[in-house]
Amino acid sequence: MSEEILVNVTPRETRVAVVENGMLQELHIERGWRRGVVGNVYKGKVQRVMPGMQAAFVEIGLDRTAFLHANDVMRSMQEPQAEASDAGDMLVAPPATLPVRPVTELLRDGQEVVVQVVKDPIGTKGARLTTQISIPSRYLVLLPHSRVVGVSARIEDEDERQRLKAIVSGLTPPGSQHGYIVRTNAEGQPAEALAEDVAYLQRAWSLIEQKVDGARVGTCLYEDLTLPMRAVRDLVRRDVEKVRVDSRETFERLHAFAAQYMPANATEGQAGLVDKLEHYTGARPIFDLYGIEDEIGRALDKEVPLKSGGYLVIDQTEAMTTVDVNTGSFVGQRNLEETVYRTNLEAAQAVARQLRLRNLGGIIIIDFIDMSDEEHRRQVLRTLEKSLSKDHARTTVYDFSPLGLVEMTRKRTVESLERQLSETCHECSGRGMLKTAETVTYEIFREIVRAVRQFDAQQLLVIASPKVVGRITDEESAAVAELEEFLGKSIRFQADDQYFQEQFDVVLL
């Protein structure tokens, strides 16, 4: 599999694209005036404890107060062992062995706390916080005030897991109150590389501790790396062939960062990131060269065509995202069941790619075409799970429900691509539908009657969109004449290009 990472930098926006075999798989966007805050550590102050919600609202200097649940409040060193997940190498909580204490015992109004953002503000919701801080580096994740040493589940070789765990445990002084998660990128790395990361993380945490006492509420104590550096830290794996950057300044920063933190591994014969970095100097924009701009445009469409002739319909709502699979023009070669099976197999792969590309998270419901063969269902589910295994976000897939639906979840930390790049339609207010010109016409007639009965006027002027006025003066001219006779008033109509289809005004003259 050929994989490349493309970094496109403009004065106010940076974009990073992950391309596999010539196809866009992921897109990350950071705008200068609206950088994400996930991973940042703040000194906060509890504004209000909500016992009924087992949570508290915390002021950390953002536009809206952030949300801190009792489950995310660190308790004293009573932590069972944990392992890292295969999604971003972050800590996954083990089955609870301690009862959840009431939030009123953990927090109080006015209390100052050190918190980390785990989810950006999304829509009308504030940021999600935790007091269980984690600081990532190239190969490790530092867990202050924890004794956990875990290894990413994506490292499957048991001997390698034990080797890495032994190295990190050996680098942790006896009695240390810090724990570590070994990230996927650490596989095959020597002890020296891990020791460098341990030293870097200890310095980073020491600086945070030094800032805490004198900092004011709302102070950012630690800020995660910029998007290009996060991308090479988190996304570059062994199968990444090139990282192409179209900005000389950003290229030089990445080069210095890679030389310091991501050197070549001579003992394993692995090239370092420095060898994979390339400054793109072509005249044609780098995203145009790879067709990325067209892919971004298609990623905002509701319908996703499949090569077989079928298609997906993706709807993102406040509560969940739904994906409907349709056969479309695909008629198959054998019988209906085989046609449905082949379409669903292709759809399973396409759904996994679209979730990753569009960065859709939360609850996701997939309505595959009904299949009567139980083995076909199992194969479709396996294909979906296998396709999702490449996703950096944590996903959980459940079996077909009695209604034939597949329910799944995908970890969401930032807004979806659609909500980053789009806004609610000012004409339909997000409904995705407009009232027909006929419906608006009859609304106008009712408003005319209401206005005449309420106010005294000899003449009325109706201002509306050209389409609505055209329909009234053409198809409804007889109805207008009857209405004028019934009311004993003269009615004039005026078209205005500034009015959208549902908008109109009835003016009394």
Side-chain angles (χ1 to χ4, degrees):
M1 181 182 67
S2 171
E3 185 172 336
E4 293 180 83
I5 294 177
L6 312 178
V7 182
N8 168 235
V9 181
T10 56
R12 300 292 288 169
E13 181 184 59
T14 300
R15 300 182 297 175
V16 173
V18 178
V19 179
E20 293 177 5
N21 298 322
M23 290 186 66
L24 177 63
Q25 301 293 334
E26 291 182 37
L27 181 69
H28 304 270
I29 300 173
E30 183 174 272
R31 289 171 175 165
W33 55 274
R34 194 180 61 187
R35 279 191 62 184
V37 293
V38 170
N40 290 1
V41 177
Y42 293 89
K43 184 172 184 178
K45 184 177 181 179
V46 177
Q47 292 282 63
R48 186 166 48 148
V49 175
M50 308 287 289
M53 298 172 63
Q54 269 289 78
F57 290 106
V58 181
E59 173 60 47
I60 60 171
L62 303 181
D63 292 339
R64 291 190 294 273
T65 54
F67 182 83
L68 176 61
H69 194 272
N71 287 338
D72 297 316
V73 178
M74 181 181 65
R75 291 177 284 185
S76 59
M77 306 299 174
Q78 302 172 0
E79 299 181 31
Q81 288 293 307
E83 287 294 306
S85 77
D86 59 352
D89 308 308
M90 293 294 107
L91 184 66
V92 174
T97 58
L98 296 170
V100 177
R101 292 168 58 188
V103 69
T104 50
E105 295 181 14
L106 300 169
L107 300 168
R108 65 180 186 278
D109 290 356
Q111 179 181 351
E112 294 186 352
V113 288
V114 177
V115 291
Q116 185 172 39
V117 178
V118 294
K119 184 183 290 187
D120 272 332
I122 296 176
T124 58
K125 299 176 182 176
R128 180 75 181 256
L129 304 176
T130 181
T131 65
Q132 302 169 28
I133 311 298
S134 61
I135 307 295
S137 67
R138 172 60 177 162
Y139 302 122
L140 303 171
V141 178
L142 173 68
L143 305 174
H145 311 306
S146 169
R147 290 194 290 262
V148 169
V149 175
V151 180
S152 169
R154 287 195 173 185
I155 301 177
E156 298 179 354
D157 184 89
E158 189 57 35
D159 291 339
E160 177 64 3
R161 293 175 64 84
Q162 293 303 321
R163 182 187 77 87
L164 292 168
K165 196 166 187 177
I167 291 173
V168 175
S169 297
L171 293 170
T172 306
S176 171
Q177 301 304 316
H178 296 337
Y180 295 91
I181 293 298
V182 181
R183 306 187 69 179
T184 308
N185 289 334
E187 187 171 9
Q189 296 299 322
E192 293 79 11
L194 299 180
E196 289 177 0
D197 268 27
V198 168
Y200 163 77
L201 289 170
Q202 288 178 344
R203 286 196 305 271
W205 180 246
S206 177
L207 288 172
I208 292 173
E209 289 185 310
Q210 290 173 25
K211 291 179 182 178
V212 170
D213 290 338
R216 294 179 298 176
V217 170
T219 299
C220 181
L221 305 172
Y222 167 85
E223 189 172 17
D224 204 0
L225 300 172
T226 60
L227 176 59
M229 291 184 181
R230 291 201 310 272
V232 298
R233 182 191 69 192
D234 299 336
L235 303 178
V236 175
R237 305 186 188 278
R238 292 185 182 182
D239 48 7
V240 172
E241 294 182 356
K242 285 289 181 184
V243 178
R244 302 180 193 274
V245 188
D246 65 2
S247 161
R248 165 63 66 180
E249 183 181 358
T250 302
F251 170 76
E252 290 174 352
R253 287 178 182 172
L254 288 178
H255 194 280
F257 178 79
Q260 182 176 3
Y261 295 109
M262 307 167 74
N265 185 349
T267 58
E268 296 289 329
Q270 296 175 18
L273 176 60
V274 170
D275 302 309
K276 297 182 178 183
L277 279 172
E278 179 182 299
H279 179 215
Y280 175 77
T281 57
R284 191 176 178 191
I286 190 170
F287 272 26
D288 287 355
L289 187 67
Y290 285 78
I292 303 297
E293 302 291 4
D294 292 338
E295 285 284 351
I296 294 172
R298 286 192 285 270
L300 299 177
D301 292 339
K302 283 182 62 173
E303 288 194 10
V304 179
L306 303 176
K307 291 181 180 178
S308 64
Y311 61 95
L312 310 177
V313 179
I314 301 175
D315 277 303
Q316 184 182 358
T317 70
E318 191 70 24
M320 68 183 71
T321 296
T322 62
V323 183
D324 186 30
V325 182
N326 298 281
T327 55
S329 60
F330 183 46
V331 295
Q333 300 294 325
R334 300 179 183 176
N335 53 51
L336 178 60
E337 179 67 23
E338 187 70 18
T339 300
V340 167
Y341 174 54
R342 295 297 174 192
T343 303
N344 282 339
L345 281 179
E346 185 186 1
Q349 298 176 59
V351 166
R353 175 175 177 256
Q354 290 297 322
L355 296 181
R356 189 176 166 192
L357 173 58
R358 298 173 185 235
N359 196 24
L360 296 168
I363 300 171
I364 298 158
I365 306 294
I366 308 170
D367 184 10
F368 287 106
I369 307 167
D370 290 340
M371 295 173 287
S372 56
D373 191 313
E374 194 61 37
E375 179 59 26
H376 284 176
R377 286 188 171 202
R378 282 195 291 269
Q379 290 296 336
V380 168
L381 212 57
R382 286 195 198 102
T383 300
L384 177 62
E385 290 170 341
K386 182 179 178 181
S387 300
L388 287 169
S389 66
K390 303 173 186 176
D391 200 332
H392 298 285
R394 185 170 69 247
T395 57
T396 304
V397 181
Y398 299 93
D399 205 350
F400 279 89
S401 74
L403 294 177
L405 305 174
V406 172
E407 300 172 11
M408 65 168 288
T409 61
R410 183 175 185 272
K411 185 175 176 61
R412 174 171 58 187
T413 56
V414 297
E415 291 274 23
S416 68
L417 183 66
E418 179 185 62
R419 290 182 178 171
Q420 286 185 70
L421 301 182
S422 308
E423 64 180 6
T424 302
C425 170
H426 67 280
E427 293 202 13
C428 70
S429 301
R431 297 199 314 270
M433 301 286 286
L434 287 175
K435 294 177 183 177
T436 65
E438 181 181 27
T439 299
V440 177
T441 295
Y442 299 142
E443 284 186 357
I444 290 172
F445 288 169
R446 289 193 294 272
E447 183 59 28
I448 289 173
V449 173
R450 187 179 299 114
V452 168
R453 288 177 176 173
Q454 190 171 358
F455 304 101
D456 184 27
Q458 295 302 312
Q459 191 176 22
L460 294 95
L461 172 65
V462 176
I463 309 171
S465 70
K467 184 175 181 180
V468 171
V469 171
R471 187 184 188 284
I472 292 174
T473 55
D474 184 13
E475 300 176 39
E476 301 291 346
S477 55
V480 172
E482 292 176 4
L483 189 59
E484 287 180 321
E485 184 177 354
F486 173 72
L487 297 174
K489 311 289 182 183
S490 172
I491 306 171
R492 290 195 299 112
F493 295 90
Q494 177 180 318
D496 191 325
D497 291 331
Q498 300 300 313
Y499 280 59
F500 58 87
Q501 188 159 306
E502 294 185 0
Q503 185 181 8
F504 63 86
D505 284 309
V506 175
V507 182
L508 304 174
L509 302 176

